[in-house]
C-alpha cells in the first residue's frame, strides 16, 4: 500500500507521514496470516466427534519456567474444530480458515498434541462439558476472531471464553498459564497432562479426546 508523503493534519497539528508509515507497519505486523480454505475443503473434512458438546482448553507449559507458552481451544459441537490462535501447527489434510482448523479427528488432535509435547514442554488438557448452544456460540466466535497476531493466543482465547454463558468470570489476559488457572475454577473441569517421557503418551493423547 502506498503512503502519501504529504503530512496530514491531526487533532494536535501536523502528523508526519513517516509516523503514519510506522503505525501502518506496526499494525500489519500485529495481524495474523490470512488463510482461507475453500467451502468444498471444509465440507469434505467435517468431523462429527460424538459425545457431549465440549470445550477443551490446551495450555502448552514450559517445564523450567512454569509459564504457559501457548493456548489453543478444541470445540466439539455439531462438528469438532480447533481454534489455534497464532499457532504454527498444521496438517495438509486439515483445512484452515484464519486459525480455525476443521476436520479435527482424534488422529489430527494427537498430531497437534505430539507436535507440542517435548522435553522442554508439556500439555495441560482441560475438558469442560457445555450445552450445544454454548459450543455453537464458541465456534461462531472462533470463526470471527482470526487471524490472530503473534503472542495473542491467550488474550484472544480468554476474550472468546468470557463471552460465553457461565464463563464470564474468566479474566481477559495475555498469559496462557493464568487463563489455565481461571479455567480450572469452572465447575466440572477434568484435567490431564501429557508429558514427553510418558511411555503411554500416544495412548493418552487419544484418551484425552474420547467423547464425553
Amino acid at each position: 500500500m502506498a503512503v502519501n508523503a504529504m503530512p496530514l493534519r491531526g487533532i494536535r497539528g501536523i502528523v508526519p507521514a513517516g509516523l503514519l508509515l510506522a503505525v501502518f507497519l506496526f499494525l500489519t505486523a500485529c495481524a495474523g496470516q490470512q488463510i482461507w480454505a475453500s467451502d468444498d475443503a471444509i465440507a469434505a473434512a467435517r468431523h462429527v466427534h460424538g459425545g457431549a458438546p465440549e470445550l477443551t482448553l490446551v495450555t502448552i507449559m514450559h517445564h523450567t519456567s512454569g509459564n504457559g507458552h501457548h493456548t489453543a481451544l478444541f470445540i466439539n459441537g455439531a462438528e469438532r474444530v480447533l481454534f489455534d490462535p497464532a499457532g504454527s501447527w498444521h496438517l495438509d489434510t486439515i483445512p484452515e480458515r484464519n486459525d480455525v482448523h476443521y476436520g479435527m479427528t482424534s488422529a489430527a488432535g494427537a498430531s497437534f498434541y505430539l507436535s507440542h509435547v517435548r522435553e522442554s514442554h508439556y500439555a495441560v488438557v482441560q475438558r469442560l462439558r457445555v450445552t450445544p448452544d454454548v459450543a455453537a456460540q464458541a465456534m461462531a466466535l472462533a470463526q470471527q476472531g482470526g487471524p490472530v497476531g503473534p503472542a495473542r493466543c491467550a488474550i484472544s482465547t480468554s476474550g472468546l471464553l468470557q463471552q460465553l454463558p457461565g464463563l464470564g468470570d474468566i479474566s481477559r489476559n495475555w498469559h496462557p498459564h493464568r487463563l489455565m488457572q481461571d479455567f480450572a475454577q469452572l465447575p466440572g473441569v477434568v484435567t490431564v497432562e501429557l508429558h514427553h517421557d510418558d511411555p503411554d503418551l500416544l495412548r493418552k493423547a487419544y484418551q484425552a479426546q474420547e467423547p464425553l
Side-chain angles (χ1 to χ4, degrees), residues 19-164:
L19 178 59
L20 292 175
L21 176 61
V23 170
F24 169 76
L25 293 175
F26 172 78
L27 293 175
T28 301
C30 289
Q33 181 182 4
Q34 291 275 356
I35 299 175
W36 195 260
S38 69
D39 291 343
D40 289 345
I42 288 176
R46 186 175 186 269
H47 173 66
V48 179
H49 202 60
E54 174 189 355
L55 301 177
T56 301
L57 182 69
V58 181
T59 308
I60 306 303
M61 297 289 294
H62 189 262
H63 274 291
T64 303
S65 69
N67 291 327
H69 282 191
H70 189 54
T71 294
L73 184 71
F74 284 92
I75 303 169
N76 185 37
E79 61 181 303
R80 188 177 190 236
V81 304
L82 170 67
F83 178 50
D84 188 27
S88 58
W89 176 84
H90 75 277
L91 281 179
D92 291 341
T93 56
I94 300 298
E96 176 188 354
R97 276 189 180 176
N98 292 345
D99 295 330
V100 179
H101 300 260
Y102 295 82
M104 289 304 297
T105 63
S106 294
S111 170
F112 174 80
Y113 286 131
L114 295 179
S115 72
H116 288 85
V117 175
R118 55 185 77 99
E119 186 175 356
S120 57
H121 293 80
Y122 65 99
V124 178
V125 182
Q126 297 170 293
R127 306 181 68 181
L128 177 67
R129 289 191 184 202
V130 295
T131 66
D133 287 345
V134 169
Q137 185 176 346
M139 185 173 298
L141 289 169
Q143 291 167 333
Q144 297 164 13
V148 176
R152 298 183 62 87
C153 57
I155 193 73
S156 60
T157 305
S158 60
L160 182 159
L161 291 172
Q162 70 175 188
Q163 297 180 66
L164 302 176

